[in-house]
């Protein structure tokens, strides 16, 4: 699945499969302006750290097109880029993509807006293609860690829909299948946005991979019964010490995995690792609208006037993580040293 993020030259727009309505219907959302991109990110038309990064890259191009004809276009463009970068606080890929486009701008010198937009569109397309390749490599390395006959539990959706294609955590599942292994998946429903029940199940069922959905509070029982052999999740940001910030509830799954002796893996591209953030406790955690908890669709499920918590992410401490699966290979503890070595090799 790669068609969920498309750039349309005819529309001069980024066309996104609107994930809010899956799996019951497939609607498309056109992004032609900065505000369109920001809305798509905030309301989660598109979600998942790598997909957010790809969307932001195209968003920078659209932000440039939007200021055409403005005599003070550089100032206005900087404002638009800041809007995109700050649309959501937790996923480091968003910040990375905007900063990458700023770097390209700086290195391009004194170019016209049209020239800059052309360079940016080319770079966005490269980021788009590179993300799919990285996910395929993650799948290869991660697939080697899975055993024939494994049931793999995952939380949230870290599949093709969360990336440009193939997926990170689900990329590991695909990698195992591509290596001839018979595996199946337990998709935690992932309240309150139900990414597991709606999106992970949608993807895997579409791809013919056996999947069962479990309510979030069934994890302990399923593990105790021996129904889970591995846990693989994605990440929105990995701190310099290896703490992994992912969808709310991931931390609890990791604690249960340790209790029952089940390997817990995190799958993410290298650029999800943030060496500027020392620990997971230093990552800003998005506090989303209460409506996602108080309502299912348009139906209220909590009493009027009762307050709720809706933190979108939590941080899993590095000591609970058996390995961080990247496109460069599998990082193992101690993660501070492993991450430093990884970045020294990148340089």
């Amino acid at each position: 699945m790669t068609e969920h993020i498309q750039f349309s030259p005819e529309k001069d727009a980024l066309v996104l499969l609107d994930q809010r309505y899956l799996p019951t219907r497939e609607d498309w959302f056109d992004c032609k302006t900065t505000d369109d991109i920001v809305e798509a990110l905030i309301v989660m038309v598109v979600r998942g750290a790598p997909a957010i990064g790809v969307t932001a890259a195209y968003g920078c191009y659209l932000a440039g097109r939007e200021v055409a004809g403005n005599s003070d276009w550089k100032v206005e463009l900087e404002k638009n880029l800041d809007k995109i970068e700050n649309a959501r606080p937790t996923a480091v890929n968003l910040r990375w993509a905007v900063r990458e486009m700023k770097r390209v701008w700086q290195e391009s010198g004194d170019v016209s807006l049209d020239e800059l937009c052309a360079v940016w569109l080319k770079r966005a397309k490269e980021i788009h293609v590179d993300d799919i390749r990285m996910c395929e490599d993650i799948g290869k390395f991660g697939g080697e860690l899975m055993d024939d006959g494994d049931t793999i539990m995952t939380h949230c959706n870290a599949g093709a829909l969360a990336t440009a294609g193939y997926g990170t955590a689900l990329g590991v599942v695909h990698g195992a299948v591509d290596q001839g292994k018979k595996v199946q998946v337990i998709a935690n429903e992932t309240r309150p946005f139900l990414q597991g029940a709606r999106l992970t199940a949608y993807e895997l069922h579409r791809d013919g991979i056996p999947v069962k959905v479990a309510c979030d509070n069934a994890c302990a029982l399923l593990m105790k019964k021996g129904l889970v052999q591995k846990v693989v999740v994605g990440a929105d940001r990995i701190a310099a010490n290896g703490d992994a910030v992912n969808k709310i509830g991931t931390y609890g799954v990791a604690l249960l995995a340790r209790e029952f002796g089940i390997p817990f893996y995190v799958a993410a591209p290298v650029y999800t690792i943030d060496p500027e953030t020392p620990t997971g406790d230093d990552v800003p955690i998005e506090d989303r609208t209460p409506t996602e908890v108080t309502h299912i669709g348009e139906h209220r499920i909590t009493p009027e006037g009762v307050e709720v918590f809706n933190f979108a992410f939590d941080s899993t401490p590095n000591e609970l993580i058996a390995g961080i699966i990247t496109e460069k290979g599998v990082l193992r503890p101690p993660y501070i040293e492993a991450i430093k070595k990884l970045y020294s090799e990148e340089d």
Side-chain angles (χ1 to χ4, degrees):
M1 175 185 288
T2 56
E3 68 276 9
H4 58 291
I5 302 176
Q6 305 175 34
F7 180 77
S8 169
E10 296 78 18
K11 295 181 178 180
D12 198 25
L14 184 65
V15 182
L16 302 171
L17 177 62
D18 196 330
Q19 298 185 29
R20 295 173 296 177
Y21 304 119
L22 291 174
T24 55
R25 71 179 201 254
E26 295 183 359
D27 286 357
W28 297 88
F29 187 97
D30 290 357
C31 296
K32 296 182 178 181
T33 67
T34 301
D35 286 345
D36 290 341
I37 291 288
V38 170
E39 180 184 357
L41 293 171
I42 290 175
V43 304
M44 297 206 287
V45 169
V46 62
R47 25 67 52 207
I52 286 172
V54 172
T55 299
Y58 283 111
C60 293
Y61 161 78
L62 295 172
R65 300 292 292 169
E66 189 177 1
V67 298
N70 192 316
S71 60
D72 207 11
W73 65 266
K74 292 182 180 179
V75 174
E76 292 304 310
L77 182 53
E78 286 281 5
K79 291 179 182 178
N80 283 348
L81 298 186
D82 287 344
K83 284 183 185 178
I84 295 170
E85 184 172 352
N86 293 306
R88 295 191 67 185
T90 303
V92 72
N93 309 58
L94 173 57
R95 186 185 72 190
W96 176 89
V98 175
R99 291 185 178 182
E100 171 65 9
M101 292 309 211
K102 287 181 176 179
R103 180 194 66 78
V104 170
W105 184 2
Q106 184 177 20
E107 291 185 358
S108 297
D110 188 21
V111 293
S112 69
L113 179 58
D114 284 344
E115 290 170 332
L116 177 61
C117 286
V119 171
W120 270 357
L121 181 57
K122 179 175 181 290
R123 183 66 185 119
K125 290 178 178 179
E126 291 171 349
I127 291 170
H128 192 163
V129 172
D130 286 348
D131 188 75
I132 298 172
R133 177 189 54 77
M134 286 188 286
C135 288
E136 290 173 344
D137 289 342
I138 288 169
K140 173 189 171 186
F141 288 116
E144 293 171 354
L145 300 173
M146 304 298 112
D147 294 315
D148 190 32
D150 273 352
T151 295
I152 303 162
M153 177 175 281
T154 191
H155 194 75
C156 195
N157 170 259
L161 289 167
T163 65
Y166 203 77
T168 53
L170 296 193
V172 171
V173 174
H174 284 289
V177 171
D178 290 345
Q179 292 165 22
K181 298 170 184 176
K182 292 182 179 179
V183 298
Q184 57 186 353
V185 176
I186 294 175
N188 294 340
E189 62 177 349
T190 320
R191 281 279 290 149
F193 209 67
L194 300 173
Q195 292 97 323
R198 295 189 302 107
L199 306 179
T200 295
Y202 167 82
E203 283 193 40
L204 293 173
H205 183 64
R206 169 175 161 155
D207 292 340
I209 296 174
V211 57
K212 290 183 179 180
V213 174
C215 61
D216 292 342
N217 45 8
C219 292
L221 178 63
L222 295 174
M223 290 182 180
K224 184 178 181 180
K225 282 180 171 289
L227 298 177
V228 180
Q229 284 71 55
K230 304 286 193 315
V231 178
V232 185
V233 301
D236 284 74
R237 189 183 309 206
I238 298 171
N241 71 339
D243 292 350
V245 176
N246 192 50
K247 185 53 57 185
I248 191 73
T250 303
Y251 182 19
V253 176
L255 287 169
L256 290 169
R258 179 177 65 177
E259 172 68 17
F260 293 104
I262 298 168
F264 179 97
Y265 294 101
V266 174
V270 168
Y271 75 126
T272 300
I273 301 172
D274 182 7
E276 297 178 18
T277 301
T279 74
D281 291 338
D282 299 303
V283 176
I285 300 298
E286 183 178 5
D287 190 358
R288 292 183 59 81
T289 171
T291 307
E292 291 176 355
V293 176
T294 60
H295 289 67
I296 294 180
E298 297 179 355
H299 303 285
R300 172 175 281 278
I301 60 171
T302 63
E304 193 81 46
V306 174
E307 295 183 352
V308 301
F309 292 108
N310 191 19
F311 295 111
F313 304 94
D314 56 27
S315 175
T316 298
N318 58 41
E319 61 266 23
L320 300 179
I321 300 171
I324 298 173
I325 306 165
T326 78
E327 75 275 17
K328 301 294 185 181
V330 182
L331 305 184
R332 298 287 190 176
Y335 290 113
I336 290 177
E337 287 78 3
I339 289 170
K340 283 181 179 178
K341 182 180 179 182
L342 177 68
Y343 272 88
S344 67
E345 292 172 352
E346 289 279 301
D347 294 338

